[in-house]
Amino acid sequence: MSVQLAPSVLSADFARLAEEAAAVADVADWIHVDVMDAHFVPNLTIGLPVVQSLLKHASLPLDCHLMIEDPDRWAPGYAEAGARNVTIHAEAAAAPVRTLRAIRAAGARAGLAINPATAVEPYADLLPEIDMLLVMTVEPGFGGQYFLDLVLPKIRRARKLIGGRDAAVWLQVDGGVTEETIGRCAEAGADMFVAGSSVFGATDPAAAVTELRRIAHQAWAARPD
Ligand code: DX5
Ligand code: ZN
């Protein structure tokens, strides 16, 4: 598996979600959808009804990132609706193993996200339960924030725990991913990249995705393992 790009529609025009998703449909791998509840993070975005509508119109699979309290209650519903990946936050889940299993049982890939200040090591034993680990590279809640370089050593440690380039678990980064930072993330071991403002804030979102992929691929291919 080489690198994958997941443009985040958090930075898109919410009134034109389907068109915005279509603008990157030929060049991206996923559409990343940020669900925020104004409790787990200080921002409110969209929920299941909008995701259900987007599922009808988007040709790419949806990668739903749930920044919500009580994901144990809500996450399986996103998988049942047809989201192909559903990510819950380790900090928010009361019963992550049960919830990750419920996501998989509903037919989706199961993702586990950790905030910048959350260590990865306590979750090493959960790796068989997940299909993707999301290492946040900003504090979650808003698009357009600056990339936190302090997370790079954790990305390296996460890659070691997960294994080499053919590992079953994907390693995603989200927050501040730009043409300037994506190479550092790939070099550290990330293989799936969320980018919001650097894609939907660009005049040509598709060209932005293509350029991000080129830089990430180059750095990823140069990795020793
Ligand atoms: C932030 C969200 C991100 C956001 C990234 O909490 O999880 O997915 O859209 O936006 P950028 O790429 O602008 O940092
Ligand atoms: Zn996100």
Side-chain angles (χ1 to χ4, degrees):
M1 179 63 78
S2 187
V3 299
Q4 299 185 78
L5 270 290
S8 165
V9 288
L10 180 63
S11 295
D13 180 348
F14 273 8
R16 298 171 50 249
L17 274 184
E19 288 161 62
E20 297 270 62
V24 294
D26 292 340
V27 291
D29 302 289
W30 296 79
I31 295 294
H32 182 88
V33 179
D34 290 301
V35 174
M36 304 186 190
D37 66 350
H39 290 275
F40 180 67
V41 290
N43 195 4
L44 183 66
T45 55
I46 58 171
L48 189 54
V50 177
V51 168
Q52 284 169 326
S53 294
L54 189 55
L55 278 163
K56 288 189 211 139
H57 298 283
S59 55
L60 290 176
L62 297 193
D63 168 29
C64 288
H65 176 195
L66 305 186
M67 285 160 277
I68 59 173
E69 285 185 355
D70 203 3
D72 309 276
R73 175 174 176 191
W74 302 108
Y78 288 82
E80 284 154 19
R84 290 265 287 279
N85 183 85
V86 179
T87 296
I88 60 168
H89 266 266
E91 302 85 359
V97 174
R98 186 172 63 218
T99 303
L100 293 162
R101 288 184 179 182
I103 292 168
R104 280 180 164 177
R109 297 176 63 89
L112 184 70
I114 52 174
N115 283 340
T118 302
V120 65
E121 285 76 9
Y123 298 99
D125 290 344
L126 287 198
L127 289 175
E129 303 290 336
I130 67 175
D131 302 292
M132 187 177 80
L133 177 68
L134 165 52
V135 174
M136 289 302 299
T137 42
V138 296
E139 294 287 4
F142 300 93
Q145 301 183 77
Y146 286 109
F147 181 83
L148 295 172
D149 274 288
L150 63 87
V151 180
L152 285 168
K154 183 165 66 180
I155 299 171
R156 289 201 178 85
R157 297 199 303 275
R159 172 51 64 191
K160 280 211 182 83
L161 290 172
I162 287 172
R165 63 179 66 242
D166 294 322
V169 178
W170 299 343
L171 180 51
Q172 185 177 64
V173 286
D174 181 9
V177 174
T178 65
E179 289 178 16
E180 200 260 313
T181 59
I182 196 168
R184 299 211 286 286
C185 295
E187 188 276 327
D191 58 2
M192 187 165 177
F193 306 87
V194 177
S197 49
S198 63
V199 170
F200 289 107
T203 34
D204 184 343
V209 171
T210 302
E211 179 60 5
L212 287 167
R213 187 191 298 282
R214 186 190 69 74
I215 300 167
H217 179 76
Q218 200 171 40
W220 175 252
R223 279 180 54 80
D225 60 354

